[in-house]
Amino acid sequence: MGLERPGAVVAGGPWADPHRPIYHFTPDRDRYRLNDPNGLIQWKGRYHLFYQYNPHGPYIDNTHWGHAVSDDLAHWEHLPIALAPTPNGPDSGGCYSGCAVDNDGVPTVIYTGIDPERPCLATGDNDLLTWRKHPNNPVIDGPPDGMKTVGFRDHTIWREGGVWYQVIGAGIAGVGGDALLYSSENLLDWDYLGSLMAEPLEDRGTMWECPDFFPLGDRHMLLVSRLPHLMGGDIWRTRVRWHSGDFADNKFAPDRSEVLDAGGNFYAPQTMLDDAGRRLMWGWITEGRSRNAQNIAGWTGVISLPRVLDLDGAGRLTQAPAGGTESLRFNHRQVDGMDLPAEDFAIAGLRGDSLEISAKFAMEDAVTFGLRIRCSPDGEEQTTIEIDPERQTLTVDRTTSSHDPEALLTRETGSLEPIAGDQIELRVFLDRSVIEVFANGSAATSRIYPMRADSLGVSLFADGPGVRLKEFDAWEMESIW
Ligand code: DQQ
């Protein structure tokens, strides 16, 4: 039984594409590209999501800021485009990534106008529906005097002691990525204060995209989407890293640094503090199929579910789903507690391409175990979420996810911390081609493109005895549209 290539399947437009998620945010268009989340802000109680957007096709060009709003972090209402390039303006080449702040009641965004890359400012009306670009744009003329850059873009802004601070991502030619710190009294006139970093990091890559800098617990956190190489005109993206450390006298001194997401498709995240005091993060879920397949599908890019960031007792950054999507659940399935047999154990009656799965395991022995999803009955296509207690890793293995030769078929591994009592709590959000996995505070985000219409099964597995399934719940998920 076979589906044809996506090109043939999507004849009815992108919503007919079987790989298009139904409960993750994507724009309401026939042809578009979405990438970074931008300008995240809770305004008058509502969550606003802006995002990098080409409303004309699935490729990066003529970048706008799309806009959507949500009350429950699950359902989104599409709003009119917020920013579009102004011909002959400082953003004529595109409105690249940036952030939003509340300037004493005036919603204000700072973004990168290109080309060249320069910070620009716009203010919104009280409903954030129309935006006015400031006549003084760009608000910073260019990189600091004498600094030769390969990149000078993306912004994070906060206010402290009545002063605004801004960090801009940079790539210093021949040196590497950096985060440049500025201050201002009015968001318009900015003074350069030097690198945010107390000491240069060892492995800086070539450019730091989308820096995000914020306090969390008693630490400061810097998220960086680091570009290591430019390959053949295309960008070879690496994983996002988090750094934690102290921030004093305008210098950040990180003493810990780790990969943010263990999967292969999470990039350019941005955070915001919500009214409840939660540090929420959204990221761009990138593609794992060929450009040709994206062009045929007509769309590219997904926004992740929101995640709550925290620090655990050992100072590790933890991520957990922010919630809201519980209202989408239907067709609840449960499996009673049991010792997992040392073989694949298909869960009868549980099938689907849009599911939430929540499972708790207790480990008596260091045996690798986990879950397989989007399984065809004969196992030709399947994706494995694997926990290795000995190596303390979380892996998404998509080497057999699809028999489409153009789909990314890799195995991605990241670190996983055990919790008290050797228990693992797994939450899996499967949304057609999107998988977001949460396990004990670690996260892994990947894309898969099964081609068979019967690749819908779910099974548990253990490589030997010694794993107890304590709880297992699964639901099918409704569309948010
Ligand atoms: N995407 C934006 C840039 C940013 C990059 C352009 C990261 O501002 O550096 O769409 O994905």
Side-chain angles (χ1 to χ4, degrees):
M1 154 169 351
L3 283 182
E4 293 171 83
R5 288 200 40 75
V9 176
V10 296
W15 288 107
D17 179 1
H19 300 303
R20 184 153 175 172
I22 62 167
Y23 67 91
H24 279 73
F25 179 82
T26 54
D28 188 17
R29 282 276 169 146
D30 282 350
R31 291 181 61 75
Y32 70 86
R33 174 190 164 100
L34 166 162
N35 49 288
D36 318 353
N38 291 153
L40 302 171
I41 193 164
Q42 193 171 9
W43 188 261
K44 295 202 236 162
R46 312 190 80 194
Y47 293 94
H48 287 262
L49 164 71
F50 300 86
Y51 54 92
Q52 293 282 280
Y53 186 36
N54 175 4
H56 306 301
Y59 46 86
I60 189 160
D61 186 38
N62 199 23
T63 303
H64 295 51
W65 274 36
H67 185 192
V69 68
S70 174
D71 292 314
D72 63 358
L73 294 178
H75 298 87
W76 293 91
E77 182 189 334
H78 294 287
L79 295 176
I81 284 171
L83 296 174
T86 299
N88 303 316
D91 60 8
S92 60
C95 304
Y96 273 20
S97 286
C99 60
V101 289
D102 176 352
N103 182 14
D104 297 327
V106 180
T108 304
V109 297
I110 291 214
Y111 63 99
T112 304
I114 66 161
D115 256 335
E117 295 171 349
R118 299 287 180 264
C120 293
L121 181 146
T123 49
D125 64 26
N126 209 22
D127 294 317
L128 313 193
L129 290 177
T130 52
W131 292 84
R132 189 177 156 270
K133 296 178 185 176
H134 201 279
N136 292 7
N137 280 340
V139 294
I140 298 177
D141 276 344
D145 285 346
M147 185 183 284
K148 280 194 78 175
T149 57
V150 295
F152 177 65
R153 61 177 180 273
D154 308 340
H155 314 266
T156 178
I157 297 186
W158 69 98
R159 182 142 65 168
E160 220 175 287
V163 177
W164 290 103
Y165 292 89
Q166 169 173 206
V167 167
I168 302 179
I172 304 176
V175 176
D178 208 343
L180 308 181
L181 181 64
Y182 291 77
S183 71
S184 170
E185 299 292 328
N186 56 10
L187 292 172
L188 290 169
D189 305 297
W190 292 93
D191 295 320
Y192 179 53
L193 303 179
S195 171
L196 174 71
M197 310 305 287
E199 300 285 341
L201 290 186
E202 251 174 49
D203 185 2
R204 303 169 66 170
T206 56
M207 161 72 194
W208 289 1
E209 294 188 311
C210 302
D212 198 344
F213 188 62
F214 52 89
L216 192 66
D218 58 357
R219 312 241 71 196
H220 266 77
M221 310 297 297
L222 175 67
L223 308 185
V224 168
S225 297
R226 197 188 57 162
L227 286 186
H229 306 296
L230 294 173
M231 293 179 64
D234 198 2
I235 293 170
W236 183 254
R237 295 185 190 279
T238 188
R239 294 171 177 181
V240 181
R241 295 194 77 88
W242 62 264
H243 308 272
S244 67
D246 292 327
F247 179 55
D249 302 326
N250 294 334
K251 289 290 176 199
F252 175 57
D255 50 31
R256 187 163 179 175
S257 160
E258 286 180 30
V259 168
L260 183 72
D261 185 288
N265 294 97
F266 189 82
Y267 199 71
Q270 189 179 101
T271 72
M272 59 161 275
L273 196 63
D274 79 353
D275 292 348
R278 300 184 299 175
R279 180 59 61 173
L280 297 183
M281 177 179 77
W282 281 259
W284 163 33
I285 302 181
T286 59
E287 291 296 325
R289 59 179 167 179
S290 69
R291 285 199 183 228
N292 181 42
Q294 293 170 45
N295 285 337
I296 293 167
W299 68 278
T300 171
V302 180
I303 297 287
S304 74
L305 299 177
R307 303 176 182 182
V308 181
L309 300 186
D310 247 313
L311 289 178
D312 70 10
R316 183 181 64 113
L317 182 74
T318 62
Q319 302 172 58
T325 51
E326 295 80 3
S327 65
L328 307 174
R329 294 167 170 172
F330 69 103
N331 248 345
H332 181 204
R333 300 291 156 84
Q334 242 175 342
V335 176
D336 291 339
M338 61 184 283
D339 291 323
L340 284 188
E343 59 191 14
D344 273 35
F345 167 74
I347 298 171
L350 178 58
R351 286 164 64 74
D353 59 8
S354 302
L355 302 172
E356 180 191 340
I357 299 169
S358 168
K360 286 191 187 150
F361 304 87
M363 300 170 295
E364 280 139 30
D365 275 309
V367 167
T368 299
F369 68 96
L371 197 64
R372 300 192 212 282
I373 54 176
R374 302 284 326 245
C375 307
S376 61
D378 61 2
E380 184 208 21
E381 288 188 334
Q382 60 183 14
T383 300
T384 301
I385 297 158
E386 181 186 290
I387 284 154
D388 182 337
E390 193 166 315
R391 290 168 56 228
Q392 298 195 353
T393 54
L394 167 66
T395 297
V396 177
D397 184 345
R398 48 184 171 169
T399 48
T400 57
S401 291
S402 171
H403 65 68
D404 177 357
E406 292 192 29
L408 201 57
L409 302 175
T410 54
R411 198 180 142 85
E412 319 284 352
T413 297
S415 70
L416 173 79
E417 304 280 319
I419 53 170
D422 282 340
Q423 300 213 27
I424 296 285
E425 296 190 11
L426 197 61
R427 297 271 301 273
V428 177
F429 295 88
L430 166 65
D431 193 1
R432 293 185 160 184
S433 59
V434 169
I435 320 171
E436 290 195 70
V437 180
F438 298 87
N440 290 11
S442 297
T445 309
S446 289
R447 298 292 296 276
I448 53 169
Y449 302 87
M451 296 302 284
R452 289 176 51 159
D454 61 354
S455 292
L456 298 170
V458 177
S459 61
L460 289 158
F461 74 96
D463 283 351
V467 183
R468 180 151 185 85
L469 177 70
K470 296 184 71 184
E471 291 171 23
F472 184 98
D473 296 275
W475 300 264
E476 290 180 58
M477 299 293 270
E478 270 173 11
S479 167
I480 58 173
W481 308 112

